[in-house]
Amino acid sequence: MTNSLDILTINTIRTLAADVVRKANSGHPGAPMGCAPLAHILFSRFITANPANPKWPNRDRFVLSNGHACALQYILLHILGYDLTMDDLKQFRQTDSKTPGHPESHLTPGIEVSTGPLGQGFSNAVGMAIAQAHFAATFNKPCYDLFTNYTYVINGDGCLQEGVASEAASLAGHLKLGNLIVIYDDNYVTIDGNTNLSFTEDVLKRFESYGWHTQYIADGDNDLEEIAAAIERAKKVTDKPSIIKIKTIIGIGSKHQGSEKVHGSPLAPDDIVEVKKKYGFDPEQFFHVPNEVYEYCKHFRERGAKAEAEWNQLLEKYCTEYPELGSEIKRRFSNKLPDNWIDHLPRYTPSDPPVATRKSSETVLNKIADVLPELIGGSADLTPSNLTRWKTATEFQPESGGLGNYSGRYLRFGVREHGMAAALNGLASYGGIIPFGASFLNFISYGLGAVRLSALSCFRAIYIMTHDSIGLGEDGPTHQPIETAASLRALPNLLFLRPADGNEVSGAYLAAIQNIERPSVIALSRQNVPNLEGSSVEKTLKGGYVLKEADGAQIILVGTGTEVSIAVDAANLLEKDCIKARVVSLPSFELFEEQSLEYRLS
């Protein structure tokens, strides 16, 4: 039941949010103040995680999809005992701090995913829920429930207006992901003003049509027990994801509460004084956390440490009874690849017939899928064109539909390119999974918001994009990726790989799978290309290499992807005119730029 320490903790979060944003002179104080009750209930009573080991595999995942409330997450991490000090809070929004202006998973312990752009975190959470369902179906055994975690999300009105969230929500409903619980902070305010300006739909009816379990709480500012009861009810619904719409007052306690004035700007100093008085805090004290709050939050750390210790013991017993499966769990969560998996990559000679590189990609997947069980993914409704389903694949589907089961590794993302890309980030963040998604290269533009976050977050997500180049033919300009390669090459920490033939396709997969801290886009052709003399799986890892040498070369022809064979043909024509031409294949600018200056000049 609610006690005085619950109230004190909630009010501490509210006053601390006002101070944190005021010192930064930038940010969003209103949402953290309004979300404080529901966030406190969620962490104090439901979320199990261990601040001493933020990467424990069976921790509950928490995603703050509403990046505008990032001060809330930093405050929670601090008072709950994560590696985030008060000095870190005071550096909110400063360059190179652990508390940037929006949550970033690679900077702050306890942050699962980078969620600045609205809707992305919601969609990442769908990927996390898929991952948990898959691990549970693959590894859990009688008396060994190793993977039982929930994925919890707090999001606001803005997240639910983004198309990416709609795509992901539709997919989650279809997949019946009962381990996903979304708390919708409904405060009727966006930056422009009241949501009646642009957002008047019935959100719960929409989610009900997606196949979600829905609930509504009218007083999220005070009714803590109803918040807890709603989460309990959501956990009991195992065949549907849940969304709980909770009415809150943004910036509660401020003289501008309930308006956009508390959304995107710090509270004025005199307003903060009144807020602190209202909640029983000394206006002359700043960044104050009462000792009672720190003590009260110890139970979160103790609960998490105890849960992890029990889980570790269970895993060791599991390893005794199921040694192969146990070693597989440990291998996958330590980011180690199976021994000798590289030996399964196909290799080609010029005597092999010409083939489209998308077909070579299909061959790679068929060769490595069974020896690389962490490889999980699918296509955005283009499986027959992308050729991404391997022969032994089982569909990831709810068993009730008769189409597959959660131990399956092939995902049908539907026509949801953006939702697919964002879900890949969630899958990657969960751990133990190498996710891939596929579409036409031109349609990666639909998902670039999520691809950018793959790169920013250092997630190994693989984008298998076919129908590269104008050579795809009759589909015309709407399908031809003219500017796409340039935009992807401009994206930091992304590998853009354009293989020229079968060997380079194998090399592209080798590069993508071995690079554990960056995503890759593999651009593949629809049209046939020859297997080139001089091409190599290993040389592909250099990003660029001499494919065809000519002593005393007078000109160097450089090509990527499907144009390399054209460069070879051009070199042969030039030789007939006594012009010696060297041909260089450049499958990846990024990998090439990482080589030594001596190698690049050679």
Side-chain angles (χ1 to χ4, degrees), residues 298-464:
K298 272 187 180 178
H299 80 278
F300 174 83
R301 300 193 293 280
E302 292 166 353
R303 183 176 74 221
K306 180 174 182 287
E308 184 186 357
E310 292 172 351
W311 187 87
N312 288 334
Q313 292 174 2
L314 186 66
L315 177 61
E316 291 311 311
K317 287 179 63 179
Y318 180 92
C319 288
T320 301
E321 192 164 345
Y322 304 99
E324 290 186 9
L325 290 174
S327 62
E328 183 69 7
I329 291 170
K330 291 181 177 181
R331 178 189 69 77
R332 287 172 62 168
F333 279 96
S334 62
N335 259 335
K336 293 181 180 177
L337 294 169
D339 294 335
N340 304 320
W341 77 273
I342 297 173
D343 297 342
H344 294 266
L345 291 169
R347 296 169 187 270
Y348 301 87
T349 68
S351 62
D352 291 311
V355 66
T357 53
R358 64 168 173 164
K359 189 68 178 174
S360 299
S361 167
E362 181 185 37
T363 302
V364 170
L365 290 172
N366 273 289
K367 292 287 187 181
I368 69 173
D370 290 338
V371 296
L372 203 63
E374 56 263 57
L375 190 66
I376 298 173
S379 169
D381 197 51
L382 286 170
T383 297
S385 297
N386 300 144
L387 305 179
T388 41
R389 192 182 190 277
W390 59 99
K391 293 176 183 176
T392 59
T394 298
E395 304 280 335
F396 180 92
Q397 296 279 353
E399 200 160 344
S400 60
L403 298 173
N405 57 67
Y406 287 156
S407 69
R409 293 162 49 208
Y410 195 75
L411 286 157
R412 304 285 182 163
F413 289 106
V415 190
R416 305 182 182 100
E417 292 87 356
H418 201 178
M420 172 181 73
L424 297 189
N425 289 335
L427 283 158
S429 77
Y430 190 88
I433 286 174
I434 302 174
F436 74 85
S439 185
F440 290 171
L441 179 61
N442 199 45
F443 299 150
I444 199 171
S445 300
Y446 279 128
L448 274 179
V451 176
R452 187 175 187 274
L453 286 175
S454 301
L456 182 66
S457 306
C458 305
F459 287 153
R460 176 176 48 186
I462 302 175
Y463 298 93
I464 302 171

Side-chain angles (χ1 to χ4, degrees), residues 123-201:
S123 309
N124 299 158
V126 174
M128 294 178 189
I130 291 170
Q132 187 280 327
H134 174 73
F135 270 98
T138 304
F139 293 107
N140 286 3
K141 299 292 182 184
C143 301
Y144 291 101
D145 288 330
L146 286 172
F147 296 97
T148 58
N149 70 278
Y150 284 84
T151 298
Y152 295 99
V153 183
I154 292 178
N155 69 230
D157 296 290
C159 299
L160 297 182
Q161 294 175 56
E162 290 285 358
V164 64
S166 299
E167 292 182 22
S170 173
L171 179 62
H174 164 73
L175 293 174
K176 300 182 183 297
L177 298 174
N179 55 0
L180 175 61
I181 297 175
V182 174
I183 297 176
Y184 166 27
D185 172 36
D186 181 27
N187 58 37
Y188 289 88
V189 171
T190 62
I191 289 175
D192 270 6
N194 193 286
T195 52
N196 63 17
L197 293 170
S198 60
F199 189 56
T200 53
E201 67 184 49

